[in-house]
mmCIF file of all heavy atoms in Angstrom:
data_model
loop_
_atom_site.group_PDB
_atom_site.id
_atom_site.type_symbol
_atom_site.label_atom_id
_atom_site.label_comp_id
_atom_site.label_asym_id
_atom_site.label_seq_id
_atom_site.Cartn_x
_atom_site.Cartn_y
_atom_site.Cartn_z
ATOM 1 N N LEU A 795 109.139 85.824 116.460
ATOM 2 C CA LEU A 795 109.506 86.938 115.590
ATOM 3 C C LEU A 795 109.633 86.481 114.142
ATOM 4 O O LEU A 795 109.160 87.150 113.220
ATOM 5 C CB LEU A 795 110.817 87.571 116.068
ATOM 6 C CG LEU A 795 111.280 88.812 115.337
ATOM 7 C CD1 LEU A 795 110.321 89.957 115.588
ATOM 8 C CD2 LEU A 795 112.674 89.182 115.784
ATOM 9 N N LEU A 796 110.234 85.308 113.926
ATOM 10 C CA LEU A 796 110.340 84.763 112.567
ATOM 11 C C LEU A 796 108.966 84.409 112.007
ATOM 12 O O LEU A 796 108.716 84.583 110.810
ATOM 13 C CB LEU A 796 111.262 83.548 112.558
ATOM 14 C CG LEU A 796 112.749 83.849 112.699
ATOM 15 C CD1 LEU A 796 113.535 82.559 112.873
ATOM 16 C CD2 LEU A 796 113.248 84.637 111.504
ATOM 17 N N PHE A 797 108.066 83.920 112.853
ATOM 18 C CA PHE A 797 106.709 83.612 112.410
ATOM 19 C C PHE A 797 106.002 84.880 111.945
ATOM 20 O O PHE A 797 105.359 84.895 110.892
ATOM 21 C CB PHE A 797 105.919 82.945 113.542
ATOM 22 C CG PHE A 797 104.458 82.826 113.254
ATOM 23 C CD1 PHE A 797 103.996 81.901 112.345
ATOM 24 C CD2 PHE A 797 103.549 83.652 113.895
ATOM 25 C CE1 PHE A 797 102.635 81.796 112.068
ATOM 26 C CE2 PHE A 797 102.191 83.553 113.632
ATOM 27 C CZ PHE A 797 101.740 82.622 112.715
ATOM 28 N N LYS A 798 106.119 85.957 112.731
ATOM 29 C CA LYS A 798 105.496 87.222 112.338
ATOM 30 C C LYS A 798 106.075 87.723 111.024
ATOM 31 O O LYS A 798 105.340 88.188 110.146
ATOM 32 C CB LYS A 798 105.718 88.285 113.425
ATOM 33 C CG LYS A 798 104.860 88.132 114.620
ATOM 34 C CD LYS A 798 104.999 89.189 115.695
ATOM 35 C CE LYS A 798 105.832 90.388 115.436
ATOM 36 N NZ LYS A 798 105.831 91.371 116.531
ATOM 37 N N ALA A 799 107.395 87.618 110.875
ATOM 38 C CA ALA A 799 108.040 88.088 109.640
ATOM 39 C C ALA A 799 107.591 87.250 108.449
ATOM 40 O O ALA A 799 107.323 87.785 107.365
ATOM 41 C CB ALA A 799 109.554 88.034 109.796
ATOM 42 N N PHE A 800 107.492 85.935 108.625
ATOM 43 C CA PHE A 800 107.034 85.073 107.541
ATOM 44 C C PHE A 800 105.594 85.414 107.169
ATOM 45 O O PHE A 800 105.247 85.479 105.983
ATOM 46 C CB PHE A 800 107.144 83.604 107.942
ATOM 47 C CG PHE A 800 106.527 82.672 106.947
ATOM 48 C CD1 PHE A 800 107.199 82.355 105.772
ATOM 49 C CD2 PHE A 800 105.273 82.135 107.159
ATOM 50 C CE1 PHE A 800 106.629 81.511 104.838
ATOM 51 C CE2 PHE A 800 104.697 81.297 106.231
ATOM 52 C CZ PHE A 800 105.379 80.980 105.061
ATOM 53 N N LEU A 801 104.761 85.633 108.165
ATOM 54 C CA LEU A 801 103.359 85.973 107.913
ATOM 55 C C LEU A 801 103.248 87.287 107.143
ATOM 56 O O LEU A 801 102.476 87.388 106.182
ATOM 57 C CB LEU A 801 102.621 86.071 109.249
ATOM 58 C CG LEU A 801 101.124 85.902 109.245
ATOM 59 C CD1 LEU A 801 100.732 84.557 108.674
ATOM 60 C CD2 LEU A 801 100.599 86.040 110.658
ATOM 61 N N LEU A 802 104.041 88.281 107.525
ATOM 62 C CA LEU A 802 104.026 89.559 106.831
ATOM 63 C C LEU A 802 104.541 89.412 105.391
ATOM 64 O O LEU A 802 103.983 89.983 104.462
ATOM 65 C CB LEU A 802 104.865 90.585 107.592
ATOM 66 C CG LEU A 802 104.931 91.999 107.021
ATOM 67 C CD1 LEU A 802 103.546 92.598 106.914
ATOM 68 C CD2 LEU A 802 105.818 92.865 107.891
ATOM 69 N N ALA A 803 105.575 88.591 105.196
ATOM 70 C CA ALA A 803 106.110 88.389 103.852
ATOM 71 C C ALA A 803 105.123 87.603 102.990
ATOM 72 O O ALA A 803 104.986 87.866 101.790
ATOM 73 C CB ALA A 803 107.445 87.655 103.920
ATOM 74 N N TYR A 804 104.420 86.661 103.573
ATOM 75 C CA TYR A 804 103.492 85.813 102.819
ATOM 76 C C TYR A 804 102.221 86.579 102.431
ATOM 77 O O TYR A 804 101.768 86.516 101.298
ATOM 78 C CB TYR A 804 103.141 84.573 103.634
ATOM 79 C CG TYR A 804 102.175 83.645 102.951
ATOM 80 C CD1 TYR A 804 102.591 82.840 101.902
ATOM 81 C CD2 TYR A 804 100.843 83.573 103.351
ATOM 82 C CE1 TYR A 804 101.714 81.988 101.257
ATOM 83 C CE2 TYR A 804 99.959 82.731 102.722
ATOM 84 C CZ TYR A 804 100.398 81.935 101.680
ATOM 85 O OH TYR A 804 99.529 81.102 101.036
ATOM 86 N N LEU A 805 101.656 87.303 103.390
ATOM 87 C CA LEU A 805 100.399 88.006 103.128
ATOM 88 C C LEU A 805 100.609 89.322 102.387
ATOM 89 O O LEU A 805 99.706 89.781 101.682
ATOM 90 C CB LEU A 805 99.671 88.296 104.448
ATOM 91 C CG LEU A 805 99.151 87.091 105.225
ATOM 92 C CD1 LEU A 805 98.566 87.549 106.548
ATOM 93 C CD2 LEU A 805 98.144 86.323 104.410
ATOM 94 N N GLY A 806 101.742 89.935 102.598
ATOM 95 C CA GLY A 806 101.965 91.271 102.044
ATOM 96 C C GLY A 806 101.542 92.316 103.051
ATOM 97 O O GLY A 806 100.677 92.060 103.903
ATOM 98 N N PRO A 807 102.112 93.506 102.952
ATOM 99 C CA PRO A 807 101.825 94.514 103.982
ATOM 100 C C PRO A 807 100.372 94.966 104.022
ATOM 101 O O PRO A 807 99.817 95.186 105.099
ATOM 102 C CB PRO A 807 102.751 95.680 103.628
ATOM 103 C CG PRO A 807 103.444 95.314 102.382
ATOM 104 C CD PRO A 807 103.117 93.917 102.016
ATOM 105 N N VAL A 808 99.730 95.077 102.880
ATOM 106 C CA VAL A 808 98.347 95.582 102.862
ATOM 107 C C VAL A 808 97.405 94.590 103.535
ATOM 108 O O VAL A 808 96.599 94.960 104.408
ATOM 109 C CB VAL A 808 97.909 95.870 101.405
ATOM 110 C CG1 VAL A 808 96.443 96.263 101.361
ATOM 111 C CG2 VAL A 808 98.789 96.936 100.788
ATOM 112 N N THR A 809 97.490 93.334 103.148
ATOM 113 C CA THR A 809 96.626 92.304 103.738
ATOM 114 C C THR A 809 96.929 92.122 105.218
ATOM 115 O O THR A 809 96.015 91.941 106.032
ATOM 116 C CB THR A 809 96.804 90.966 102.990
ATOM 117 O OG1 THR A 809 96.631 91.193 101.605
ATOM 118 C CG2 THR A 809 95.813 89.931 103.462
ATOM 119 N N TYR A 810 98.219 92.158 105.585
ATOM 120 C CA TYR A 810 98.598 91.986 106.984
ATOM 121 C C TYR A 810 98.003 93.099 107.845
ATOM 122 O O TYR A 810 97.429 92.829 108.905
ATOM 123 C CB TYR A 810 100.125 91.972 107.114
ATOM 124 C CG TYR A 810 100.614 91.593 108.491
ATOM 125 C CD1 TYR A 810 100.766 90.268 108.849
ATOM 126 C CD2 TYR A 810 100.920 92.562 109.443
ATOM 127 C CE1 TYR A 810 101.213 89.908 110.104
ATOM 128 C CE2 TYR A 810 101.360 92.224 110.693
ATOM 129 C CZ TYR A 810 101.510 90.889 111.022
ATOM 130 O OH TYR A 810 101.949 90.543 112.271
ATOM 131 N N ILE A 811 98.121 94.349 107.384
ATOM 132 C CA ILE A 811 97.576 95.482 108.144
ATOM 133 C C ILE A 811 96.052 95.394 108.218
ATOM 134 O O ILE A 811 95.452 95.702 109.251
ATOM 135 C CB ILE A 811 98.027 96.826 107.525
ATOM 136 C CG1 ILE A 811 99.546 96.961 107.602
ATOM 137 C CG2 ILE A 811 97.347 98.012 108.185
ATOM 138 C CD1 ILE A 811 100.095 96.975 109.000
ATOM 139 N N ASP A 812 95.421 94.953 107.135
ATOM 140 C CA ASP A 812 93.959 94.797 107.128
ATOM 141 C C ASP A 812 93.523 93.757 108.158
ATOM 142 O O ASP A 812 92.586 93.987 108.932
ATOM 143 C CB ASP A 812 93.493 94.405 105.725
ATOM 144 C CG ASP A 812 91.987 94.307 105.632
ATOM 145 O OD1 ASP A 812 91.304 95.193 106.186
ATOM 146 O OD2 ASP A 812 91.492 93.334 105.010
ATOM 147 N N GLN A 813 94.209 92.615 108.177
ATOM 148 C CA GLN A 813 93.879 91.568 109.153
ATOM 149 C C GLN A 813 94.192 92.041 110.579
ATOM 150 O O GLN A 813 93.477 91.710 111.520
ATOM 151 C CB GLN A 813 94.656 90.284 108.834
ATOM 152 C CG GLN A 813 94.268 89.646 107.514
ATOM 153 C CD GLN A 813 92.820 89.197 107.507
ATOM 154 O OE1 GLN A 813 92.286 88.711 108.494
ATOM 155 N NE2 GLN A 813 92.167 89.390 106.367
ATOM 156 N N HIS A 814 95.260 92.793 110.730
ATOM 157 C CA HIS A 814 95.624 93.319 112.041
ATOM 158 C C HIS A 814 94.555 94.283 112.553
ATOM 159 O O HIS A 814 94.214 94.276 113.746
ATOM 160 C CB HIS A 814 96.988 94.019 111.953
ATOM 161 C CG HIS A 814 97.541 94.406 113.272
ATOM 162 N ND1 HIS A 814 97.348 95.655 113.799
ATOM 163 C CD2 HIS A 814 98.246 93.709 114.186
ATOM 164 C CE1 HIS A 814 97.929 95.721 114.976
ATOM 165 N NE2 HIS A 814 98.488 94.548 115.241
ATOM 166 N N ALA A 815 93.996 95.101 111.651
ATOM 167 C CA ALA A 815 92.926 96.023 112.045
ATOM 168 C C ALA A 815 91.685 95.260 112.487
ATOM 169 O O ALA A 815 90.997 95.667 113.433
ATOM 170 C CB ALA A 815 92.588 96.961 110.886
ATOM 171 N N LYS A 816 91.391 94.139 111.814
ATOM 172 C CA LYS A 816 90.244 93.315 112.222
ATOM 173 C C LYS A 816 90.463 92.737 113.618
ATOM 174 O O LYS A 816 89.526 92.645 114.418
ATOM 175 C CB LYS A 816 90.019 92.183 111.219
ATOM 176 C CG LYS A 816 89.459 92.639 109.897
ATOM 177 C CD LYS A 816 89.283 91.470 108.956
ATOM 178 C CE LYS A 816 88.835 91.917 107.579
ATOM 179 N NZ LYS A 816 88.743 90.788 106.640
ATOM 180 N N LEU A 817 91.699 92.334 113.906
ATOM 181 C CA LEU A 817 91.991 91.813 115.243
ATOM 182 C C LEU A 817 91.847 92.901 116.304
ATOM 183 O O LEU A 817 91.328 92.652 117.394
ATOM 184 C CB LEU A 817 93.410 91.238 115.300
ATOM 185 C CG LEU A 817 93.618 89.848 114.748
ATOM 186 C CD1 LEU A 817 95.094 89.484 114.809
ATOM 187 C CD2 LEU A 817 92.804 88.827 115.514
ATOM 188 N N GLU A 818 92.306 94.107 115.989
ATOM 189 C CA GLU A 818 92.209 95.200 116.959
ATOM 190 C C GLU A 818 90.764 95.567 117.266
ATOM 191 O O GLU A 818 90.462 96.029 118.363
ATOM 192 C CB GLU A 818 92.941 96.434 116.439
ATOM 193 C CG GLU A 818 94.436 96.341 116.533
ATOM 194 C CD GLU A 818 95.132 97.570 116.005
ATOM 195 O OE1 GLU A 818 94.587 98.214 115.084
ATOM 196 O OE2 GLU A 818 96.217 97.876 116.523
ATOM 197 N N ALA A 819 89.867 95.340 116.318
ATOM 198 C CA ALA A 819 88.460 95.668 116.519
ATOM 199 C C ALA A 819 87.709 94.566 117.259
ATOM 200 O O ALA A 819 86.553 94.755 117.630
ATOM 201 C CB ALA A 819 87.789 95.921 115.169
ATOM 202 N N GLY A 820 88.349 93.440 117.497
ATOM 203 C CA GLY A 820 87.681 92.301 118.119
ATOM 204 C C GLY A 820 87.623 92.405 119.631
ATOM 205 O O GLY A 820 87.783 93.477 120.225
ATOM 206 N N GLY A 821 87.409 91.255 120.237
ATOM 207 C CA GLY A 821 87.291 91.176 121.690
ATOM 208 C C GLY A 821 88.635 91.312 122.379
ATOM 209 O O GLY A 821 89.661 91.632 121.764
ATOM 210 N N LEU A 822 88.648 91.022 123.667
ATOM 211 C CA LEU A 822 89.844 91.201 124.478
ATOM 212 C C LEU A 822 90.975 90.267 124.033
ATOM 213 O O LEU A 822 92.130 90.692 123.932
ATOM 214 C CB LEU A 822 89.503 90.961 125.952
ATOM 215 C CG LEU A 822 90.613 91.253 126.945
ATOM 216 C CD1 LEU A 822 90.950 92.742 126.910
ATOM 217 C CD2 LEU A 822 90.193 90.835 128.329
ATOM 218 N N VAL A 823 90.651 89.023 123.757
ATOM 219 C CA VAL A 823 91.668 88.058 123.331
ATOM 220 C C VAL A 823 92.226 88.440 121.967
ATOM 221 O O VAL A 823 93.441 88.378 121.732
ATOM 222 C CB VAL A 823 91.085 86.622 123.309
ATOM 223 C CG1 VAL A 823 92.084 85.638 122.744
ATOM 224 C CG2 VAL A 823 90.654 86.208 124.701
ATOM 225 N N GLU A 824 91.341 88.887 121.068
ATOM 226 C CA GLU A 824 91.804 89.298 119.744
ATOM 227 C C GLU A 824 92.654 90.558 119.827
ATOM 228 O O GLU A 824 93.635 90.705 119.092
ATOM 229 C CB GLU A 824 90.609 89.510 118.814
ATOM 230 C CG GLU A 824 89.958 88.189 118.433
ATOM 231 C CD GLU A 824 88.464 88.319 118.256
ATOM 232 O OE1 GLU A 824 87.904 89.309 118.778
ATOM 233 O OE2 GLU A 824 87.882 87.459 117.616
ATOM 234 N N GLN A 825 92.324 91.444 120.728
ATOM 235 C CA GLN A 825 93.137 92.645 120.911
ATOM 236 C C GLN A 825 94.516 92.296 121.462
ATOM 237 O O GLN A 825 95.517 92.902 121.083
ATOM 238 C CB GLN A 825 92.440 93.635 121.839
ATOM 239 C CG GLN A 825 91.237 94.302 121.202
ATOM 240 C CD GLN A 825 90.493 95.199 122.170
ATOM 241 O OE1 GLN A 825 90.874 95.344 123.323
ATOM 242 N NE2 GLN A 825 89.422 95.819 121.687
ATOM 243 N N ALA A 826 94.548 91.307 122.341
ATOM 244 C CA ALA A 826 95.851 90.849 122.851
ATOM 245 C C ALA A 826 96.670 90.231 121.716
ATOM 246 O O ALA A 826 97.881 90.455 121.616
ATOM 247 C CB ALA A 826 95.654 89.838 123.979
ATOM 248 N N GLY A 827 96.017 89.453 120.856
ATOM 249 C CA GLY A 827 96.703 88.895 119.697
ATOM 250 C C GLY A 827 97.181 89.977 118.753
ATOM 251 O O GLY A 827 98.282 89.891 118.191
ATOM 252 N N ALA A 828 96.384 91.029 118.573
ATOM 253 C CA ALA A 828 96.788 92.149 117.722
ATOM 254 C C ALA A 828 97.996 92.862 118.316
ATOM 255 O O ALA A 828 98.901 93.269 117.586
ATOM 256 C CB ALA A 828 95.630 93.124 117.552
ATOM 257 N N TRP A 829 98.013 92.984 119.638
ATOM 258 C CA TRP A 829 99.158 93.634 120.282
ATOM 259 C C TRP A 829 100.432 92.815 120.064
ATOM 260 O O TRP A 829 101.496 93.374 119.806
ATOM 261 C CB TRP A 829 98.876 93.813 121.772
ATOM 262 C CG TRP A 829 99.961 94.562 122.472
ATOM 263 C CD1 TRP A 829 100.143 95.904 122.500
ATOM 264 C CD2 TRP A 829 101.015 93.993 123.235
ATOM 265 N NE1 TRP A 829 101.250 96.210 123.233
ATOM 266 C CE2 TRP A 829 101.816 95.057 123.701
ATOM 267 C CE3 TRP A 829 101.374 92.693 123.578
ATOM 268 C CZ2 TRP A 829 102.945 94.855 124.487
ATOM 269 C CZ3 TRP A 829 102.500 92.482 124.349
ATOM 270 C CH2 TRP A 829 103.270 93.569 124.810
ATOM 271 N N LEU A 830 100.318 91.487 120.165
ATOM 272 C CA LEU A 830 101.487 90.622 119.952
ATOM 273 C C LEU A 830 101.928 90.618 118.487
ATOM 274 O O LEU A 830 103.120 90.527 118.195
ATOM 275 C CB LEU A 830 101.174 89.192 120.391
ATOM 276 C CG LEU A 830 101.078 88.947 121.888
ATOM 277 C CD1 LEU A 830 100.580 87.534 122.161
ATOM 278 C CD2 LEU A 830 102.425 89.177 122.550
ATOM 279 N N LEU A 831 100.974 90.703 117.566
ATOM 280 C CA LEU A 831 101.279 90.580 116.144
ATOM 281 C C LEU A 831 101.498 91.919 115.447
ATOM 282 O O LEU A 831 101.633 91.952 114.220
ATOM 283 C CB LEU A 831 100.164 89.801 115.440
ATOM 284 C CG LEU A 831 100.076 88.331 115.796
ATOM 285 C CD1 LEU A 831 98.828 87.713 115.198
ATOM 286 C CD2 LEU A 831 101.308 87.586 115.328
ATOM 287 N N ARG A 832 101.539 93.010 116.196
ATOM 288 C CA ARG A 832 101.740 94.301 115.541
ATOM 289 C C ARG A 832 103.113 94.306 114.841
ATOM 290 O O ARG A 832 104.082 93.770 115.358
ATOM 291 C CB ARG A 832 101.617 95.435 116.541
ATOM 292 C CG ARG A 832 102.723 95.520 117.542
ATOM 293 C CD ARG A 832 102.428 96.595 118.577
ATOM 294 N NE ARG A 832 103.549 96.781 119.457
ATOM 295 C CZ ARG A 832 103.828 96.013 120.501
ATOM 296 N NH1 ARG A 832 103.037 95.007 120.790
ATOM 297 N NH2 ARG A 832 104.880 96.255 121.243
ATOM 298 N N PRO A 833 103.172 94.914 113.665
ATOM 299 C CA PRO A 833 104.439 94.902 112.916
ATOM 300 C C PRO A 833 105.440 95.899 113.506
ATOM 301 O O PRO A 833 105.233 97.106 113.458
ATOM 302 C CB PRO A 833 104.016 95.316 111.498
ATOM 303 C CG PRO A 833 102.738 96.032 111.670
ATOM 304 C CD PRO A 833 102.085 95.497 112.903
ATOM 305 N N ASP A 834 106.503 95.368 114.077
ATOM 306 C CA ASP A 834 107.552 96.231 114.606
ATOM 307 C C ASP A 834 108.707 96.302 113.601
ATOM 308 O O ASP A 834 108.644 95.704 112.521
ATOM 309 C CB ASP A 834 108.029 95.738 115.971
ATOM 310 C CG ASP A 834 108.386 94.268 115.963
ATOM 311 O OD1 ASP A 834 108.376 93.667 114.882
ATOM 312 O OD2 ASP A 834 108.686 93.723 117.044
ATOM 313 N N ALA A 835 109.745 97.036 113.938
ATOM 314 C CA ALA A 835 110.857 97.257 113.002
ATOM 315 C C ALA A 835 111.567 95.947 112.651
ATOM 316 O O ALA A 835 111.919 95.711 111.484
ATOM 317 C CB ALA A 835 111.841 98.249 113.599
ATOM 318 N N ALA A 836 111.778 95.091 113.642
ATOM 319 C CA ALA A 836 112.469 93.822 113.382
ATOM 320 C C ALA A 836 111.630 92.925 112.473
ATOM 321 O O ALA A 836 112.166 92.253 111.575
ATOM 322 C CB ALA A 836 112.775 93.113 114.694
ATOM 323 N N THR A 837 110.327 92.908 112.673
ATOM 324 C CA THR A 837 109.447 92.090 111.843
ATOM 325 C C THR A 837 109.454 92.573 110.403
ATOM 326 O O THR A 837 109.536 91.775 109.467
ATOM 327 C CB THR A 837 108.007 92.131 112.396
ATOM 328 O OG1 THR A 837 108.021 91.708 113.753
ATOM 329 C CG2 THR A 837 107.095 91.222 111.608
#
């Protein structure tokens, strides 16, 4: 959770969402990674 929060703070919300959209459009493993890295309230 801290890693996700650091990544979101470092990249910024726009870049993070853009990269997250690229992961969601990828293969099965990338979609699983996108599901894990989705920005939730705690993040």
Side-chain angles (χ1 to χ4, degrees):
L795 185 67
L796 286 172
F797 169 74
K798 284 183 8 177
F800 173 78
L801 202 58
L802 181 59
Y804 179 75
L805 293 175
V808 175
T809 308
Y810 189 85
I811 297 298
D812 183 43
Q813 295 297 322
H814 189 266
K816 288 179 185 177
L817 280 176
E818 284 180 329
L822 186 64
V823 174
E824 289 146 341
Q825 288 176 1
W829 184 81
L830 288 172
L831 291 172
R832 69 186 186 279
D834 51 6
T837 304

